[in-house]
Amino acid sequence: MAKKPINDAADLIPDRPTLDKVRAAAKNCEACDLWRRATQTVFGQGAKNAQLMFVGEQPGNEEDRTGHPFVGPAGKLLDRALADAGIDRSTVYVTNVVKHFKWEPRGKRRIHKKPNASEIAACRPWLDAEIALVKPRAIVCLGATAAQALLGRQFKVTAHRGAFITSPLAPFVLATVHPSSILRAPDDEQRRLEMKRFTNDLRIVASALSSREPRA
Ligand code: SF4
């Protein structure tokens, strides 16, 4: 039987929640062990009524230090892809399925470690609250962890990237790769190709938001 967390994140969601109130409450979350080794909770950020929400895996090293999501190298790559796809970064909301940085030491460096299923489940109330409050028309899952958390454990980004998935979460839901995977491409040519594919996926969402009515 799954171990019950020290406290349940759902119990920390304030009555009559607003994004600011929920963000403040998340600062004190200890619903899984990840808070112990991280600097701070990195809650989502962006336009309060954003039409488009990006959901990644977890904050990275720079996000952990600064307290802001998607400000490290992968975030900068996302910024570039958004600009190339004609999406104004100030109109979107960015967040992660897990709000504390999970890492392991390698020499002096802190190396990203994938969150496990129980950590993702423990953190889910925060993401659910963000989705309920922002009410985005489109959600883009960045990478397999986010996609499987939101679309089911069998979901394969490699098979379904760039295609809209029917989901109760939002009228338009789509998954693509995490921008950090583009940074890990083996050479410049591959990186350029991956960046192009990623930007194309974002264009699909931009085009849906500008031209299609929301699904019922
Ligand atoms: S990762 Fe999420 S559930 Fe775990 S302590 Fe941090 S905010 Fe709470």
Side-chain angles (χ1 to χ4, degrees):
M1 204 164 92
K3 206 169 134 222
K4 191 158 172 34
I6 305 164
N7 63 34
D8 188 335
D11 294 341
L12 300 177
I13 308 272
D15 292 338
R16 300 208 204 129
T18 64
L19 219 39
D20 290 339
K21 283 200 223 169
V22 177
R23 179 178 291 113
K27 286 186 178 157
N28 302 315
C29 185
E30 298 178 1
C32 76
D33 278 340
L34 295 187
W35 66 276
R36 294 178 189 280
R37 299 183 70 206
T39 308
Q40 57 196 317
T41 306
V42 182
F43 202 73
Q45 265 180 3
K48 286 186 178 165
N49 300 110
Q51 290 209 16
L52 176 53
M53 177 183 281
F54 288 91
V55 182
E57 180 188 274
Q58 63 159 335
N61 190 53
E62 282 187 53
E63 287 82 4
D64 174 73
R65 302 263 191 234
T66 61
H68 303 294
F70 287 95
V71 292
K76 292 193 171 63
L77 195 143
L78 174 64
D79 288 352
R80 225 174 69 221
L82 284 169
D84 289 351
I87 300 170
D88 180 353
R89 167 76 139 98
S90 68
T91 66
V92 310
Y93 187 94
V94 292
T95 191
N96 287 295
V97 291
V98 161
K99 312 295 193 220
H100 275 109
F101 179 36
K102 183 174 183 180
W103 58 277
E104 59 188 3
R106 193 170 304 160
K108 288 188 177 162
R109 293 176 63 209
R110 303 190 303 167
I111 303 298
H112 157 276
K113 202 167 173 215
K114 196 170 142 66
N116 63 36
S118 70
E119 291 154 351
I120 291 169
C123 214
R124 184 61 188 259
W126 299 120
L127 179 58
D128 285 342
E130 289 176 295
I131 294 172
L133 291 163
V134 175
K135 296 189 184 67
R137 284 182 68 217
I139 294 177
V140 175
C141 303
L142 297 171
T145 302
Q148 289 174 359
L150 289 177
L151 302 172
R153 292 175 81 163
Q154 306 309 317
F155 187 88
K156 286 206 172 3
V157 174
T158 41
H160 303 294
R161 72 176 287 176
F164 288 113
I165 311 294
T166 303
S167 163
L169 296 169
F172 301 111
V173 177
L174 173 149
T176 181
V177 295
H178 194 284
S180 61
S181 71
I182 302 171
L183 294 169
R184 293 194 301 271
D187 54 52
D188 286 350
E189 176 60 10
Q190 196 62 31
R191 196 167 305 113
R192 198 185 59 75
L193 282 173
E194 286 303 323
M195 185 65 179
K196 197 170 163 199
R197 288 185 76 195
F198 182 62
T199 307
N200 281 343
D201 290 341
L202 301 193
R203 284 201 183 99
I204 291 168
V205 182
S207 149
L209 283 173
S210 65
S211 64
R212 285 162 61 173
E213 289 301 312
R215 291 180 194 143

mmCIF file of all heavy atoms in Angstrom, residues 9 26 29-35 41 97-100 119 122-124 126, ligand 1:
data_model
loop_
_atom_site.group_PDB
_atom_site.id
_atom_site.type_symbol
_atom_site.label_atom_id
_atom_site.label_comp_id
_atom_site.label_asym_id
_atom_site.label_seq_id
_atom_site.Cartn_x
_atom_site.Cartn_y
_atom_site.Cartn_z
ATOM 1 N N ALA A 9 -0.924 17.746 -0.073
ATOM 2 C CA ALA A 9 -0.921 19.072 -0.697
ATOM 3 C C ALA A 9 -2.337 19.603 -0.863
ATOM 4 O O ALA A 9 -2.567 20.809 -0.731
ATOM 5 C CB ALA A 9 -0.197 19.004 -2.040
ATOM 6 N N ALA A 26 1.852 27.010 -1.435
ATOM 7 C CA ALA A 26 2.782 25.976 -1.928
ATOM 8 C C ALA A 26 4.188 26.157 -1.363
ATOM 9 O O ALA A 26 4.980 25.216 -1.341
ATOM 10 C CB ALA A 26 2.817 25.990 -3.453
ATOM 11 N N CYS A 29 4.822 23.620 1.340
ATOM 12 C CA CYS A 29 4.455 22.221 1.093
ATOM 13 C C CYS A 29 5.586 21.254 1.495
ATOM 14 O O CYS A 29 6.748 21.459 1.168
ATOM 15 C CB CYS A 29 4.116 22.031 -0.385
ATOM 16 S SG CYS A 29 3.529 20.366 -0.731
ATOM 17 N N GLU A 30 5.169 20.222 2.203
ATOM 18 C CA GLU A 30 6.100 19.130 2.556
ATOM 19 C C GLU A 30 5.426 17.790 2.268
ATOM 20 O O GLU A 30 5.594 16.817 2.999
ATOM 21 C CB GLU A 30 6.461 19.222 4.049
ATOM 22 C CG GLU A 30 7.174 20.501 4.414
ATOM 23 C CD GLU A 30 7.490 20.600 5.897
ATOM 24 O OE1 GLU A 30 7.171 19.653 6.654
ATOM 25 O OE2 GLU A 30 8.053 21.631 6.294
ATOM 26 N N ALA A 31 4.629 17.773 1.212
ATOM 27 C CA ALA A 31 3.824 16.589 0.932
ATOM 28 C C ALA A 31 4.625 15.430 0.342
ATOM 29 O O ALA A 31 4.112 14.324 0.206
ATOM 30 C CB ALA A 31 2.661 16.952 0.011
ATOM 31 N N CYS A 32 5.853 15.678 -0.058
ATOM 32 C CA CYS A 32 6.777 14.583 -0.380
ATOM 33 C C CYS A 32 8.150 15.036 0.097
ATOM 34 O O CYS A 32 8.288 16.146 0.620
ATOM 35 C CB CYS A 32 6.750 14.252 -1.878
ATOM 36 S SG CYS A 32 7.623 15.434 -2.927
ATOM 37 N N ASP A 33 9.147 14.217 -0.112
ATOM 38 C CA ASP A 33 10.462 14.545 0.475
ATOM 39 C C ASP A 33 11.285 15.556 -0.334
ATOM 40 O O ASP A 33 12.360 15.966 0.098
ATOM 41 C CB ASP A 33 11.287 13.267 0.617
ATOM 42 C CG ASP A 33 10.880 12.525 1.879
ATOM 43 O OD1 ASP A 33 10.291 13.156 2.771
ATOM 44 O OD2 ASP A 33 11.150 11.311 1.951
ATOM 45 N N LEU A 34 10.791 15.947 -1.491
ATOM 46 C CA LEU A 34 11.655 16.758 -2.365
ATOM 47 C C LEU A 34 11.981 18.142 -1.808
ATOM 48 O O LEU A 34 12.994 18.733 -2.163
ATOM 49 C CB LEU A 34 11.020 16.879 -3.756
ATOM 50 C CG LEU A 34 10.910 15.571 -4.536
ATOM 51 C CD1 LEU A 34 10.435 15.827 -5.956
ATOM 52 C CD2 LEU A 34 12.247 14.843 -4.560
ATOM 53 N N TRP A 35 11.154 18.663 -0.939
ATOM 54 C CA TRP A 35 11.426 19.988 -0.371
ATOM 55 C C TRP A 35 12.717 19.982 0.452
ATOM 56 O O TRP A 35 13.363 21.008 0.601
ATOM 57 C CB TRP A 35 10.251 20.456 0.495
ATOM 58 C CG TRP A 35 10.049 19.620 1.728
ATOM 59 C CD1 TRP A 35 9.354 18.451 1.820
ATOM 60 C CD2 TRP A 35 10.596 19.871 3.033
ATOM 61 N NE1 TRP A 35 9.411 17.955 3.100
ATOM 62 C CE2 TRP A 35 10.172 18.806 3.865
ATOM 63 C CE3 TRP A 35 11.386 20.875 3.579
ATOM 64 C CZ2 TRP A 35 10.516 18.728 5.214
ATOM 65 C CZ3 TRP A 35 11.728 20.791 4.918
ATOM 66 C CH2 TRP A 35 11.300 19.732 5.720
ATOM 67 N N THR A 41 10.217 26.222 -3.206
ATOM 68 C CA THR A 41 9.160 25.792 -4.135
ATOM 69 C C THR A 41 9.228 26.686 -5.372
ATOM 70 O O THR A 41 9.332 27.897 -5.251
ATOM 71 C CB THR A 41 7.764 25.976 -3.496
ATOM 72 O OG1 THR A 41 7.741 25.294 -2.244
ATOM 73 C CG2 THR A 41 6.668 25.433 -4.390
ATOM 74 N N VAL A 97 5.050 19.657 -13.358
ATOM 75 C CA VAL A 97 4.241 18.693 -12.588
ATOM 76 C C VAL A 97 4.759 18.557 -11.160
ATOM 77 O O VAL A 97 4.014 18.204 -10.259
ATOM 78 C CB VAL A 97 4.161 17.287 -13.251
ATOM 79 C CG1 VAL A 97 3.347 17.313 -14.518
ATOM 80 C CG2 VAL A 97 5.517 16.691 -13.504
ATOM 81 N N VAL A 98 6.035 18.824 -10.957
ATOM 82 C CA VAL A 98 6.634 18.761 -9.618
ATOM 83 C C VAL A 98 7.285 20.112 -9.332
ATOM 84 O O VAL A 98 7.951 20.680 -10.198
ATOM 85 C CB VAL A 98 7.660 17.599 -9.565
ATOM 86 C CG1 VAL A 98 8.614 17.760 -8.416
ATOM 87 C CG2 VAL A 98 6.932 16.265 -9.444
ATOM 88 N N LYS A 99 7.074 20.624 -8.132
ATOM 89 C CA LYS A 99 7.472 22.019 -7.859
ATOM 90 C C LYS A 99 8.785 22.170 -7.098
ATOM 91 O O LYS A 99 9.190 23.282 -6.791
ATOM 92 C CB LYS A 99 6.371 22.729 -7.049
ATOM 93 C CG LYS A 99 4.957 22.557 -7.573
ATOM 94 C CD LYS A 99 4.762 23.202 -8.928
ATOM 95 C CE LYS A 99 3.277 23.302 -9.271
ATOM 96 N NZ LYS A 99 2.983 23.008 -10.658
ATOM 97 N N HIS A 100 9.427 21.081 -6.739
ATOM 98 C CA HIS A 100 10.751 21.176 -6.127
ATOM 99 C C HIS A 100 11.781 20.444 -6.999
ATOM 100 O O HIS A 100 11.458 19.424 -7.620
ATOM 101 C CB HIS A 100 10.756 20.558 -4.715
ATOM 102 C CG HIS A 100 10.300 21.500 -3.640
ATOM 103 N ND1 HIS A 100 9.094 21.365 -2.994
ATOM 104 C CD2 HIS A 100 10.892 22.596 -3.100
ATOM 105 C CE1 HIS A 100 8.959 22.340 -2.095
ATOM 106 N NE2 HIS A 100 10.043 23.101 -2.138
ATOM 107 N N GLU A 119 6.012 11.035 -6.022
ATOM 108 C CA GLU A 119 6.287 12.479 -5.920
ATOM 109 C C GLU A 119 5.385 13.254 -6.880
ATOM 110 O O GLU A 119 4.842 14.325 -6.530
ATOM 111 C CB GLU A 119 7.767 12.749 -6.220
ATOM 112 C CG GLU A 119 8.689 12.206 -5.129
ATOM 113 C CD GLU A 119 10.092 11.872 -5.585
ATOM 114 O OE1 GLU A 119 10.362 11.882 -6.820
ATOM 115 O OE2 GLU A 119 10.926 11.568 -4.725
ATOM 116 N N ALA A 122 1.950 13.265 -5.363
ATOM 117 C CA ALA A 122 1.860 14.153 -4.194
ATOM 118 C C ALA A 122 1.736 15.608 -4.624
ATOM 119 O O ALA A 122 1.073 16.420 -3.965
ATOM 120 C CB ALA A 122 3.088 13.956 -3.312
ATOM 121 N N CYS A 123 2.378 15.952 -5.716
ATOM 122 C CA CYS A 123 2.406 17.352 -6.171
ATOM 123 C C CYS A 123 1.201 17.716 -7.043
ATOM 124 O O CYS A 123 0.977 18.890 -7.337
ATOM 125 C CB CYS A 123 3.697 17.599 -6.942
ATOM 126 S SG CYS A 123 4.348 19.257 -6.724
ATOM 127 N N ARG A 124 0.450 16.737 -7.445
ATOM 128 C CA ARG A 124 -0.629 16.965 -8.411
ATOM 129 C C ARG A 124 -1.666 18.023 -7.983
ATOM 130 O O ARG A 124 -2.165 18.788 -8.821
ATOM 131 C CB ARG A 124 -1.307 15.628 -8.720
ATOM 132 C CG ARG A 124 -2.390 15.672 -9.779
ATOM 133 C CD ARG A 124 -1.812 16.151 -11.119
ATOM 134 N NE ARG A 124 -2.862 16.370 -12.083
ATOM 135 C CZ ARG A 124 -3.182 15.525 -13.062
ATOM 136 N NH1 ARG A 124 -2.493 14.411 -13.212
ATOM 137 N NH2 ARG A 124 -4.147 15.793 -13.899
ATOM 138 N N TRP A 126 -1.310 20.823 -6.687
ATOM 139 C CA TRP A 126 -0.872 22.177 -7.080
ATOM 140 C C TRP A 126 -1.110 22.413 -8.562
ATOM 141 O O TRP A 126 -1.591 23.473 -8.962
ATOM 142 C CB TRP A 126 0.622 22.363 -6.749
ATOM 143 C CG TRP A 126 0.934 22.221 -5.301
ATOM 144 C CD1 TRP A 126 1.773 21.323 -4.729
ATOM 145 C CD2 TRP A 126 0.401 22.999 -4.207
ATOM 146 N NE1 TRP A 126 1.806 21.482 -3.372
ATOM 147 C CE2 TRP A 126 0.978 22.510 -3.022
ATOM 148 C CE3 TRP A 126 -0.506 24.056 -4.132
ATOM 149 C CZ2 TRP A 126 0.683 23.031 -1.762
ATOM 150 C CZ3 TRP A 126 -0.807 24.582 -2.873
ATOM 151 C CH2 TRP A 126 -0.213 24.080 -1.718
HETATM 152 S S1 SF4 B 1 7.535 18.461 -4.867
HETATM 153 FE FE1 SF4 B 1 5.416 19.149 -4.694
HETATM 154 S S2 SF4 B 1 4.444 17.723 -3.244
HETATM 155 FE FE2 SF4 B 1 6.666 17.514 -3.013
HETATM 156 S S3 SF4 B 1 7.151 18.956 -1.345
HETATM 157 FE FE3 SF4 B 1 7.447 20.036 -3.286
HETATM 158 S S4 SF4 B 1 5.525 21.119 -3.652
HETATM 159 FE FE4 SF4 B 1 5.130 19.542 -2.107
#
